[in-house]
Amino acid sequence: MATPLGARGTAQRSTTRPQVLTGARVVLPTGTVPDGRLTIDGTRIAAEDPHGTPRGTAQVIDVTGHWLVPGFVDLHNHGGGGASFSGTAEDVQKAIHTHRLHGTTTLVASTVTDDMDFLVRQAGLLSELAEQGDLAGIHFEGPFISPCRKGAHSEALLRDPDPAEVRKLIDAARGRARMVTLATELPGGLDSVRLLAEHGVIAAVGHTDATYEQTVQAIDAGATVATHLFNAMPPLGHRAPGPIAALLEDERVTVELINDGTHLHPAALELAFRHAGPGRVAFITDAMDAAGIGDGRYLLGPLEVEVSEGVARLVEGGSIAGSTLTQDRAFQRAVTIDRLPVEHVVAALSANPARLLGIDDTVGSLEPGKDADLVLLDENFELKGVMRKGNWVVDPQLD
C-alpha cells in the first residue's frame, strides 16, 4: 500500500497555520460530500467559516480526486512491525507506529493468553501508554477461554473466568481496561460478565463453545461484543444455531469481523452485514507481529507462528494465529472486492468502534471539534496520507 516506509517518513510533522484540504470526496456521518472541504486548526477539525478563510492565513492542500475518511479505530490488535503488545514499551511503540502508518489512529492493545502474573505486569505497562494517549486502552483476549476453541492460545495457560481473577486484571489496568474476551459458558463466566459490566468494561463473547441458549444468557448478563464473529466458535447449525445466531440477532451486540480474505468467506461477511446491519459491525485486524512486515517465523505469546503468503498459522497444529492485516487493506478489500458502500465501511472501521469504546465525542468521524484524525485514499482506495491530531504521520502523496 502507498510507498515504502522510507519514502513515507517516520516523524510526525505539524504546522502552526490552519490547513484546508479541498476537492476530495469527504465521508461525513450524513453522507459523502463530493468536492468537499475540511479545515484543520491545531489538533482539531474546525468549523467552516461561512465567509471563507482569508487568503494567506491557511495552508491549502488540493486533494482533488481523493477520498477523505476518518482515522481508523482498531478494537482488537496484538502487534505489528515485528513487535508485540506483549513486549517491552519500545516494542509497543513500534507496533503502534506501524499501524498508524496504515491509517489506524486509535488503537486498543490486545494481550494474548499468558501467565496471570505476566498479564498483570503487562497491564501496568500498557496502562501507562494509554495514560499518555498512545493507546485507547487494553483488551484481554484470554486466558478465560474454552480449550475447545482455543485457536492460537496456549491450552496449558487457560483457566475458567473466576471473577476474582478477572477483577485482578481490571485493577492492574488502572482504569484502562476496555474489553475482556470470555468463554461465558465456563464456570464463573456469567458472573464475570456481570462484573465487567458493573465496571464499565466490555464483555466480549469469544473463543467459546457456548450454545445458542448460553450465549443469550451472556448477552442478557451484559456481554455486548462478539470477538471475531464466526472464528473460534461453533459454526451456525440448523438444529444447534450456537453463538453465531444469538450474537447476530441481538441489537445490543457489536460483531467484530476480520476482513482479510482468510478468516471469512465473502458470503459470511455479507451475512453479518445483512443481519447485524452496518451499525453493528466493527472491522478489526487481530494483527500479530508480522503485520506490516511479511512472511517468516514469529511468536504469539509463548507459541511459535509461521507466516506464509501473508497467512499466520501455529507451527504446531496449524491453527490460524491472528492476522497480518492492516486496516487500510481491510478498507480497500471491503469496497473493491466485497462491494460494500464506502459509508458502511467507514462506519465499521471508525464510527462503530469509537462509539463502542465511548470515545465517539472525539474520534470516529470528521466533525468540527473532534480530533483531526483522517486518512487520505486515492480513487483505487490506496492509502495516500494519514493525519493524527493535526499532524501528518504519512505526508500526502498526490503525484
Side-chain angles (χ1 to χ4, degrees), residues 103 166 180 250 273 276 281 311 347 383 393:
V166 173
V180 177
D250 199 300
F273 266 91
V281 172
V311 179
L383 184 144
V393 180

Side-chain angles (χ1 to χ4, degrees), residues 99-399:
H99 286 283
R100 283 185 187 168
L101 292 175
H102 292 274
T104 297
T105 52
T106 301
L107 188 150
V108 174
S110 300
T111 62
V112 68
T113 294
D114 213 311
D115 177 83
M116 279 293 293
D117 289 340
F118 173 82
L119 291 174
V120 166
R121 290 195 302 273
Q122 197 64 15
L125 184 154
L126 294 172
S127 66
E128 290 180 10
L129 294 170
E131 288 161 6
Q132 296 171 17
D134 295 321
L135 293 169
I138 307 167
H139 163 219
F140 297 100
E141 187 180 28
F144 311 115
I145 61 176
S146 172
C148 301
R149 305 287 174 177
K150 64 183 184 294
H153 292 255
S154 172
E155 185 168 355
L157 295 172
L158 300 182
R159 57 184 67 208
D160 290 338
D162 179 350
E165 292 199 318
V166 173
R167 177 64 185 269
K168 188 176 181 181
L169 289 183
I170 297 173
D171 291 344
R174 303 202 301 261
R176 301 295 174 168
R178 291 291 175 263
M179 182 162 65
V180 177
T181 294
L182 304 159
T184 55
E185 76 279 8
L186 295 177
L190 293 180
D191 286 338
S192 293
V193 168
R194 296 185 186 100
L195 172 72
L196 291 167
E198 288 169 4
H199 286 81
V201 179
I202 297 165
V205 177
H207 288 276
T208 176
D209 204 40
T211 63
Y212 172 88
E213 291 77 14
Q214 288 171 326
T215 307
V216 169
Q217 286 183 312
I219 297 168
D220 287 340
T224 56
V225 166
T227 292
H228 42 55
L229 186 74
F230 298 107
N231 300 118
M233 59 182 62
L236 185 66
H238 64 290
R239 292 194 182 91
I244 294 172
L247 294 163
L248 278 177
E249 72 184 9
D250 199 300
E251 294 293 327
R252 295 170 289 182
V253 176
T254 298
V255 298
E256 296 181 348
L257 298 176
I258 308 172
N259 193 29
D260 62 352
T262 297
H263 281 79
L264 296 176
H265 189 282
L269 185 81
E270 182 182 2
L271 177 71
F273 266 91
R274 184 182 299 274
H275 287 274
R280 291 204 292 121
V281 172
F283 280 150
I284 61 163
T285 60
D286 195 17
M288 44 81 71
D289 300 27
I293 295 292
D295 292 353
R297 288 276 179 116
Y298 300 86
L299 286 176
L300 183 60
L303 303 179
E304 192 171 14
V305 175
E306 177 78 31
V307 178
S308 177
E309 297 182 352
V311 179
R313 293 185 181 274
L314 291 182
V315 170
E316 184 176 344
S319 292
I320 293 177
S323 85
T324 62
L325 186 63
T326 53
Q327 292 288 51
D328 56 340
R329 286 171 45 213
F331 193 115
Q332 186 181 49
R333 179 181 178 85
V335 176
T336 63
I337 296 176
D338 302 313
R339 302 294 181 184
L340 293 171
V342 171
E343 294 81 5
H344 291 181
V345 178
V346 167
L349 281 165
S350 303
N352 296 343
R355 183 174 60 251
L356 184 69
L357 292 170
I359 54 175
D360 53 321
D361 58 332
T362 56
V363 300
S365 60
L366 301 178
E367 296 179 273
K370 292 192 177 183
D371 289 349
D373 293 355
L374 59 86
V375 177
L376 182 68
L377 304 165
D378 68 13
E379 61 182 5
N380 297 314
F381 300 97
E382 294 274 354
L383 184 144
K384 294 298 180 180
V386 180
M387 176 183 283
R388 183 175 187 269
K389 295 185 184 298
N391 297 326
W392 287 106
V393 180
V394 177
D395 288 328
Q397 300 161 57
L398 304 175
D399 295 337

